[in-house]
């Protein structure tokens, strides 16, 4: 794959614009959790993963599971940008009961690998996919993006032990380490640190990266697995609400969205499209 770093940055910027637009239009959504993951998701789809939008079930594809399903605004944007469906569909986010773009991703939408949003399920699902790929001798990888608050779910750590036992070096877990969750900073709720040491103790190869720096993300994700026979955990340090100054690192913005008035006041500065 030819990797254009400027294209990845532009893609991440468009993800953020789409997230702001979709959530404002719907007056609904988890905006800040989507904004923190934009650079990670753009890097995966524009610089790392092998996939075919014209054949979503291609057996040898790399798979991506958004375990933090509430951040689906970013996933919907990237899937439209790489051609899984027309971008006009983004207007339907949370617009009706049977929308293709609900508040958490569902497999009825092309490009979505798993229904997610009930936290703690993404890594266990990915283990089954990675193990199946190993058994079928398919040279593909499974990527999971999990929230750091989500790591308080015990199923993740049970899954981490299983992945190490089966030597799933085709599995890459990326932790969106923005240090915030629904009601407070993560360390005020349940102590995660030393997070890298915990992953390593469970038998994983680990690395810390700046989750907004493409120059760090690209080699860190592309070089996985770091060790043969070990799954990979990439702890990507991010800012919740990145790119929207009034939302950055603010607890209350976990599930807040812009009002139409705020959107209009920021539209020209952020290069946002007009809302009809």
């Amino acid at each position: 794959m030819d990797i254009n770093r400027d294209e990845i940055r532009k893609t991440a910027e468009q993800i953020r614009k789409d997230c702001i637009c979709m959530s404002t239009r719907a007056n609904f959504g988890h905006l800040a959790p989507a904004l923190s993951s934009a650079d990670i998701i753009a890097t995966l789809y524009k610089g790392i993963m092998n996939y075919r939008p014209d054949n979503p079930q291609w057996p040898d594809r790399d798979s991506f599971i958004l375990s933090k399903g509430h951040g689906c605004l970013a996933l919907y944007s990237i899937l439209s940008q790489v051609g899984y469906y027309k971008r006009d569909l983004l207007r339907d986010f949370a617009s009706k009961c049977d929308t293709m773009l609900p508040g958490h991703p569902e497999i009825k939408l092309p490009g979505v690998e798993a229904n997610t949003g009930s936290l703690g399920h993404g890594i266990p699902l990915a283990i089954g996919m990675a193990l199946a790929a190993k058994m079928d001798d398919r040279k593909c990888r499974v990527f999971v993006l999990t929230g750091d608050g989500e790591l308080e779910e015990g199923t993740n750590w049970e899954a981490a032990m299983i992945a190490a036992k089966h030597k799933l070096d085709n599995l890459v877990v990326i932790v969106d380490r923005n240090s915030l969750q629904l009601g407070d900073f993560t360390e005020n709720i349940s102590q995660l640190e030393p997070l890298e040491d915990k992953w390593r103790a469970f038998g994983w190869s680990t690395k810390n990266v700046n989750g907004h720096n493409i120059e760090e993300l690209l080699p860190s994700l592309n070089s996985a697995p770091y060790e043969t026979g070990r799954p990979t955990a990439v702890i990507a340090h991010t800012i919740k609400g990145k790119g929207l100054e009034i939302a950055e690192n603010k607890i209350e913005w976990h599930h807040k969205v812009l009002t139409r008035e705020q959107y209009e006041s920021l539209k020209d500065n952020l290069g946002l499209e007009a809302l009809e």
Side-chain angles (χ1 to χ4, degrees):
M1 177 186 291
D2 293 330
I3 299 175
N4 185 320
R5 287 165 170 78
D6 287 336
E7 183 179 354
I8 294 173
R9 294 185 184 94
K10 290 178 181 177
T11 299
E13 181 180 355
Q14 188 61 53
I15 289 174
R16 291 191 167 94
K17 291 178 181 179
D18 288 344
C19 290
I20 295 170
C21 182
M22 282 188 284
S23 61
T24 304
R25 182 182 286 118
N27 191 30
F28 175 79
H30 291 76
L31 177 57
L35 295 176
S36 67
S37 65
D39 300 293
I40 299 166
I41 289 176
T43 300
L44 284 172
Y45 278 87
K46 286 289 187 172
I48 304 296
M49 292 170 53
N50 293 313
Y51 55 92
R52 295 179 181 174
D54 60 343
N55 184 12
Q57 297 305 312
W58 176 43
D60 293 325
R61 70 189 182 281
D62 292 329
S63 298
F64 173 72
I65 294 180
L66 182 67
S67 192
K68 47 173 282 181
H70 55 286
C72 61
L73 289 163
L75 179 60
Y76 295 156
S77 172
I78 192 63
L79 292 179
S80 75
Q81 289 192 62
V82 300
Y84 278 95
Y85 43 80
K86 293 182 179 179
R87 285 182 53 74
D88 285 350
L89 186 61
L90 297 182
R91 295 175 177 271
D92 287 345
F93 170 69
S95 62
K96 51 189 176 180
C97 290
D98 61 347
T99 178
M100 293 288 285
L101 278 65
H104 293 88
E106 299 178 10
I107 57 173
K108 64 183 179 181
L109 186 70
V112 173
E113 297 280 358
N115 295 351
T116 56
S118 182
L119 300 180
H121 291 180
I123 299 176
L125 285 167
I127 286 173
M129 296 165 67
L131 184 56
K134 284 276 191 182
M135 294 171 69
D136 292 341
D137 197 30
R138 288 184 281 116
K139 306 302 181 185
C140 54
R141 290 182 288 182
V142 182
F143 296 88
V144 185
L145 181 61
T146 180
D148 48 3
E150 183 179 3
L151 293 182
E152 294 168 12
E153 298 282 357
T155 49
N156 291 305
W157 300 105
E158 294 175 36
M161 288 188 286
I162 294 170
K165 176 185 183 298
H166 290 287
K167 305 183 188 306
L168 297 182
D169 53 10
N170 58 342
L171 174 63
V172 182
V173 168
I174 306 157
V175 180
D176 186 350
R177 185 68 170 118
N178 57 45
S179 298
L180 278 167
Q181 58 188 92
L182 172 64
D184 205 341
F185 290 91
T186 57
E187 299 309 287
N188 292 337
I189 300 295
S190 182
Q191 185 175 333
L192 291 174
E193 295 298 339
L195 187 54
E196 185 177 10
D197 290 344
K198 287 175 180 174
W199 281 103
R200 191 176 294 114
F202 275 74
W204 291 54
S205 295
T206 64
K207 184 174 290 187
N208 280 279
V209 299
N210 180 336
H212 300 306
N213 188 328
I214 307 302
E215 302 299 333
E216 287 189 32
L217 283 168
L218 267 173
S220 297
L221 294 172
N222 203 37
S223 59
Y226 304 147
E227 296 179 67
T228 300
R230 287 180 180 266
T232 300
V234 178
I235 302 170
H237 295 269
T238 63
I239 297 171
K240 197 161 187 174
K242 175 69 173 177
L244 184 61
E245 188 174 354
I246 62 173
E248 288 187 353
N249 209 33
K250 302 287 180 56
I251 297 169
E252 64 271 20
W253 274 87
H254 179 81
H255 46 56
K256 281 186 68 173
V257 301
L258 291 176
T259 65
R260 293 243 172 176
E261 292 75 16
Q262 288 173 316
Y263 186 95
E264 289 300 322
S265 70
L266 294 169
K267 179 167 68 68
D268 292 340
N269 186 45
L270 296 179
L272 302 170
E273 65 180 78
L275 292 178
E276 65 288 332

